[in-house]
Amino acid sequence: MATKAQLEGNKRHQEKLDRMVFYVDKGGKEKIKARAAETGAGSINAYIVSLIEADMGKLSGE
């Protein structure tokens, strides 16, 4: 069980993040999960964020 300090730390961290929800067709989650594992991203979230950041970098000329 988490200590009070851990819970408070988690809460402070969560306050620094925005939350987004999106939907994919049935079976899409497993395909994304498999591709994330293939690329070594570590998680679906890390994989998606890296794709978005790469795309946004292209738009800004980075």
Side-chain angles (χ1 to χ4, degrees):
M1 185 163 165
T3 66
K4 184 177 179 182
Q6 288 171 323
L7 294 174
E8 290 172 359
N10 289 343
K11 185 177 178 182
R12 282 192 306 274
H13 178 69
Q14 290 294 323
E15 290 171 351
K16 297 177 184 179
L17 303 173
D18 285 328
R19 182 174 177 88
M20 296 177 66
V21 177
F22 64 96
Y23 297 91
V24 296
D25 291 334
K26 289 281 185 187
K29 180 180 174 182
E30 290 305 315
K31 290 178 184 176
I32 294 168
K33 186 176 181 179
R35 182 63 182 149
E38 288 173 11
T39 63
S43 70
I44 294 173
N45 186 71
Y47 176 64
I48 293 171
V49 169
S50 69
L51 291 174
I52 292 168
E53 288 175 344
D55 183 63
M56 291 177 71
K58 290 177 187 175
L59 292 175
S60 65
E62 293 179 5

